PDB file of all heavy atoms in Angstrom:
ATOM      1  N   LYS A  86     -35.674 -36.743 -86.889  1.00  0.00           N
ATOM      2  CA  LYS A  86     -34.432 -36.682 -86.112  1.00  0.00           C
ATOM      3  C   LYS A  86     -33.604 -35.492 -86.584  1.00  0.00           C
ATOM      4  O   LYS A  86     -33.427 -35.277 -87.787  1.00  0.00           O
ATOM      5  CB  LYS A  86     -33.642 -37.967 -86.314  1.00  0.00           C
ATOM      6  CG  LYS A  86     -32.393 -38.072 -85.463  1.00  0.00           C
ATOM      7  CD  LYS A  86     -31.564 -39.299 -85.804  1.00  0.00           C
ATOM      8  CE  LYS A  86     -32.272 -40.567 -85.440  1.00  0.00           C
ATOM      9  NZ  LYS A  86     -31.400 -41.757 -85.620  1.00  0.00           N
ATOM     10  N   LEU A  87     -33.096 -34.720 -85.640  1.00  0.00           N
ATOM     11  CA  LEU A  87     -32.282 -33.542 -85.929  1.00  0.00           C
ATOM     12  C   LEU A  87     -30.935 -33.705 -85.228  1.00  0.00           C
ATOM     13  O   LEU A  87     -30.874 -33.789 -84.003  1.00  0.00           O
ATOM     14  CB  LEU A  87     -32.989 -32.278 -85.415  1.00  0.00           C
ATOM     15  CG  LEU A  87     -32.271 -30.947 -85.594  1.00  0.00           C
ATOM     16  CD1 LEU A  87     -32.161 -30.586 -87.074  1.00  0.00           C
ATOM     17  CD2 LEU A  87     -33.010 -29.840 -84.840  1.00  0.00           C
ATOM     18  N   ILE A  88     -29.862 -33.765 -86.010  1.00  0.00           N
ATOM     19  CA  ILE A  88     -28.532 -33.948 -85.445  1.00  0.00           C
ATOM     20  C   ILE A  88     -27.777 -32.620 -85.518  1.00  0.00           C
ATOM     21  O   ILE A  88     -27.627 -32.037 -86.595  1.00  0.00           O
ATOM     22  CB  ILE A  88     -27.762 -35.052 -86.184  1.00  0.00           C
ATOM     23  CG1 ILE A  88     -28.547 -36.375 -86.080  1.00  0.00           C
ATOM     24  CG2 ILE A  88     -26.345 -35.211 -85.621  1.00  0.00           C
ATOM     25  CD1 ILE A  88     -28.058 -37.468 -86.981  1.00  0.00           C
ATOM     26  N   ILE A  89     -27.338 -32.160 -84.352  1.00  0.00           N
ATOM     27  CA  ILE A  89     -26.577 -30.913 -84.238  1.00  0.00           C
ATOM     28  C   ILE A  89     -25.353 -31.205 -83.390  1.00  0.00           C
ATOM     29  O   ILE A  89     -25.474 -31.712 -82.268  1.00  0.00           O
ATOM     30  CB  ILE A  89     -27.427 -29.803 -83.571  1.00  0.00           C
ATOM     31  CG1 ILE A  89     -28.661 -29.482 -84.422  1.00  0.00           C
ATOM     32  CG2 ILE A  89     -26.585 -28.543 -83.353  1.00  0.00           C
ATOM     33  CD1 ILE A  89     -29.649 -28.550 -83.746  1.00  0.00           C
ATOM     34  N   GLU A  90     -24.173 -30.902 -83.926  1.00  0.00           N
ATOM     35  CA  GLU A  90     -22.909 -31.131 -83.207  1.00  0.00           C
ATOM     36  C   GLU A  90     -22.837 -32.543 -82.640  1.00  0.00           C
ATOM     37  O   GLU A  90     -22.501 -32.761 -81.475  1.00  0.00           O
ATOM     38  CB  GLU A  90     -22.732 -30.077 -82.106  1.00  0.00           C
ATOM     39  CG  GLU A  90     -22.595 -28.672 -82.655  1.00  0.00           C
ATOM     40  CD  GLU A  90     -22.474 -27.619 -81.571  1.00  0.00           C
ATOM     41  OE1 GLU A  90     -22.459 -27.964 -80.372  1.00  0.00           O
ATOM     42  OE2 GLU A  90     -22.385 -26.431 -81.933  1.00  0.00           O
ATOM     43  N   ASN A  91     -23.166 -33.516 -83.476  1.00  0.00           N
ATOM     44  CA  ASN A  91     -23.115 -34.947 -83.121  1.00  0.00           C
ATOM     45  C   ASN A  91     -24.050 -35.340 -81.983  1.00  0.00           C
ATOM     46  O   ASN A  91     -23.902 -36.404 -81.404  1.00  0.00           O
ATOM     47  CB  ASN A  91     -21.681 -35.392 -82.807  1.00  0.00           C
ATOM     48  CG  ASN A  91     -20.782 -35.267 -84.013  1.00  0.00           C
ATOM     49  OD1 ASN A  91     -21.176 -35.640 -85.122  1.00  0.00           O
ATOM     50  ND2 ASN A  91     -19.592 -34.737 -83.820  1.00  0.00           N
ATOM     51  N   LYS A  92     -25.004 -34.489 -81.649  1.00  0.00           N
ATOM     52  CA  LYS A  92     -26.015 -34.826 -80.648  1.00  0.00           C
ATOM     53  C   LYS A  92     -27.354 -34.988 -81.367  1.00  0.00           C
ATOM     54  O   LYS A  92     -27.669 -34.219 -82.267  1.00  0.00           O
ATOM     55  CB  LYS A  92     -26.146 -33.732 -79.584  1.00  0.00           C
ATOM     56  CG  LYS A  92     -24.940 -33.591 -78.682  1.00  0.00           C
ATOM     57  CD  LYS A  92     -25.217 -32.499 -77.667  1.00  0.00           C
ATOM     58  CE  LYS A  92     -24.001 -32.214 -76.810  1.00  0.00           C
ATOM     59  NZ  LYS A  92     -24.207 -31.054 -75.935  1.00  0.00           N
ATOM     60  N   THR A  93     -28.120 -35.965 -80.939  1.00  0.00           N
ATOM     61  CA  THR A  93     -29.401 -36.247 -81.579  1.00  0.00           C
ATOM     62  C   THR A  93     -30.552 -35.623 -80.801  1.00  0.00           C
ATOM     63  O   THR A  93     -30.685 -35.830 -79.593  1.00  0.00           O
ATOM     64  CB  THR A  93     -29.618 -37.770 -81.701  1.00  0.00           C
ATOM     65  OG1 THR A  93     -28.550 -38.320 -82.484  1.00  0.00           O
ATOM     66  CG2 THR A  93     -30.942 -38.072 -82.380  1.00  0.00           C
ATOM     67  N   PHE A  94     -31.354 -34.868 -81.520  1.00  0.00           N
ATOM     68  CA  PHE A  94     -32.574 -34.260 -81.008  1.00  0.00           C
ATOM     69  C   PHE A  94     -33.704 -34.657 -81.942  1.00  0.00           C
ATOM     70  O   PHE A  94     -33.491 -35.373 -82.928  1.00  0.00           O
ATOM     71  CB  PHE A  94     -32.440 -32.733 -80.938  1.00  0.00           C
ATOM     72  CG  PHE A  94     -31.272 -32.281 -80.122  1.00  0.00           C
ATOM     73  CD1 PHE A  94     -30.050 -31.990 -80.723  1.00  0.00           C
ATOM     74  CD2 PHE A  94     -31.376 -32.170 -78.748  1.00  0.00           C
ATOM     75  CE1 PHE A  94     -28.960 -31.599 -79.961  1.00  0.00           C
ATOM     76  CE2 PHE A  94     -30.288 -31.783 -77.981  1.00  0.00           C
ATOM     77  CZ  PHE A  94     -29.088 -31.496 -78.589  1.00  0.00           C
ATOM     78  N   TYR A  95     -34.889 -34.170 -81.669  1.00  0.00           N
ATOM     79  CA  TYR A  95     -36.044 -34.481 -82.502  1.00  0.00           C
ATOM     80  C   TYR A  95     -36.894 -33.234 -82.644  1.00  0.00           C
ATOM     81  O   TYR A  95     -36.808 -32.321 -81.824  1.00  0.00           O
ATOM     82  CB  TYR A  95     -36.868 -35.615 -81.874  1.00  0.00           C
ATOM     83  CG  TYR A  95     -36.041 -36.855 -81.681  1.00  0.00           C
ATOM     84  CD1 TYR A  95     -35.322 -37.059 -80.506  1.00  0.00           C
ATOM     85  CD2 TYR A  95     -35.944 -37.802 -82.690  1.00  0.00           C
ATOM     86  CE1 TYR A  95     -34.527 -38.174 -80.336  1.00  0.00           C
ATOM     87  CE2 TYR A  95     -35.152 -38.938 -82.529  1.00  0.00           C
ATOM     88  CZ  TYR A  95     -34.451 -39.117 -81.354  1.00  0.00           C
ATOM     89  OH  TYR A  95     -33.656 -40.224 -81.190  1.00  0.00           O
ATOM     90  N   THR A  96     -37.692 -33.212 -83.708  1.00  0.00           N
ATOM     91  CA  THR A  96     -38.596 -32.080 -83.895  1.00  0.00           C
ATOM     92  C   THR A  96     -40.014 -32.594 -84.085  1.00  0.00           C
ATOM     93  O   THR A  96     -40.236 -33.728 -84.510  1.00  0.00           O
ATOM     94  CB  THR A  96     -38.191 -31.212 -85.101  1.00  0.00           C
ATOM     95  OG1 THR A  96     -38.264 -31.986 -86.299  1.00  0.00           O
ATOM     96  CG2 THR A  96     -36.797 -30.639 -84.918  1.00  0.00           C
ATOM     97  N   TRP A  97     -40.975 -31.731 -83.747  1.00  0.00           N
ATOM     98  CA  TRP A  97     -42.379 -32.100 -83.888  1.00  0.00           C
ATOM     99  C   TRP A  97     -42.798 -32.168 -85.353  1.00  0.00           C
ATOM    100  O   TRP A  97     -43.650 -32.937 -85.718  1.00  0.00           O
ATOM    101  CB  TRP A  97     -43.252 -31.113 -83.136  1.00  0.00           C
ATOM    102  CG  TRP A  97     -43.113 -31.192 -81.646  1.00  0.00           C
ATOM    103  CD1 TRP A  97     -42.470 -32.158 -80.916  1.00  0.00           C
ATOM    104  CD2 TRP A  97     -43.641 -30.269 -80.697  1.00  0.00           C
ATOM    105  NE1 TRP A  97     -42.571 -31.889 -79.580  1.00  0.00           N
ATOM    106  CE2 TRP A  97     -43.286 -30.741 -79.408  1.00  0.00           C
ATOM    107  CE3 TRP A  97     -44.380 -29.101 -80.801  1.00  0.00           C
ATOM    108  CZ2 TRP A  97     -43.648 -30.079 -78.241  1.00  0.00           C
ATOM    109  CZ3 TRP A  97     -44.735 -28.441 -79.634  1.00  0.00           C
ATOM    110  CH2 TRP A  97     -44.377 -28.926 -78.373  1.00  0.00           C
ATOM    111  N   CYS A  98     -42.191 -31.323 -86.182  1.00  0.00           N
ATOM    112  CA  CYS A  98     -42.467 -31.374 -87.625  1.00  0.00           C
ATOM    113  C   CYS A  98     -41.194 -31.005 -88.374  1.00  0.00           C
ATOM    114  O   CYS A  98     -40.216 -30.559 -87.783  1.00  0.00           O
ATOM    115  CB  CYS A  98     -43.628 -30.451 -88.012  1.00  0.00           C
ATOM    116  SG  CYS A  98     -43.253 -28.687 -88.026  1.00  0.00           S
ATOM    117  N   VAL A  99     -41.212 -31.201 -89.687  1.00  0.00           N
ATOM    118  CA  VAL A  99     -39.992 -30.973 -90.462  1.00  0.00           C
ATOM    119  C   VAL A  99     -39.651 -29.490 -90.584  1.00  0.00           C
ATOM    120  O   VAL A  99     -38.479 -29.127 -90.677  1.00  0.00           O
ATOM    121  CB  VAL A  99     -40.071 -31.628 -91.849  1.00  0.00           C
ATOM    122  CG1 VAL A  99     -40.149 -33.144 -91.708  1.00  0.00           C
ATOM    123  CG2 VAL A  99     -41.241 -31.110 -92.673  1.00  0.00           C
ATOM    124  N   ILE A 100     -40.662 -28.642 -90.551  1.00  0.00           N
ATOM    125  CA  ILE A 100     -40.370 -27.205 -90.639  1.00  0.00           C
ATOM    126  C   ILE A 100     -39.629 -26.738 -89.388  1.00  0.00           C
ATOM    127  O   ILE A 100     -38.788 -25.851 -89.458  1.00  0.00           O
ATOM    128  CB  ILE A 100     -41.655 -26.397 -90.915  1.00  0.00           C
ATOM    129  CG1 ILE A 100     -42.120 -26.681 -92.351  1.00  0.00           C
ATOM    130  CG2 ILE A 100     -41.434 -24.905 -90.713  1.00  0.00           C
ATOM    131  CD1 ILE A 100     -43.397 -26.012 -92.758  1.00  0.00           C
ATOM    132  N   ASP A 101     -39.905 -27.371 -88.243  1.00  0.00           N
ATOM    133  CA  ASP A 101     -39.138 -27.052 -87.029  1.00  0.00           C
ATOM    134  C   ASP A 101     -37.641 -27.236 -87.270  1.00  0.00           C
ATOM    135  O   ASP A 101     -36.825 -26.413 -86.852  1.00  0.00           O
ATOM    136  CB  ASP A 101     -39.558 -27.948 -85.860  1.00  0.00           C
ATOM    137  CG  ASP A 101     -40.948 -27.650 -85.339  1.00  0.00           C
ATOM    138  OD1 ASP A 101     -41.416 -26.508 -85.508  1.00  0.00           O
ATOM    139  OD2 ASP A 101     -41.560 -28.568 -84.758  1.00  0.00           O
ATOM    140  N   ALA A 102     -37.278 -28.322 -87.929  1.00  0.00           N
ATOM    141  CA  ALA A 102     -35.853 -28.594 -88.182  1.00  0.00           C
ATOM    142  C   ALA A 102     -35.226 -27.475 -89.012  1.00  0.00           C
ATOM    143  O   ALA A 102     -34.103 -27.026 -88.738  1.00  0.00           O
ATOM    144  CB  ALA A 102     -35.682 -29.938 -88.884  1.00  0.00           C
TER     145      ALA A 102
END
Side-chain angles (χ1 to χ4, degrees):
K86 185 186 293 187
L87 178 67
I88 301 168
I89 298 172
E90 296 178 2
N91 296 316
K92 292 181 185 173
T93 300
F94 304 95
Y95 302 89
T96 62
W97 291 349
C98 74
V99 295
I100 290 178
D101 290 335

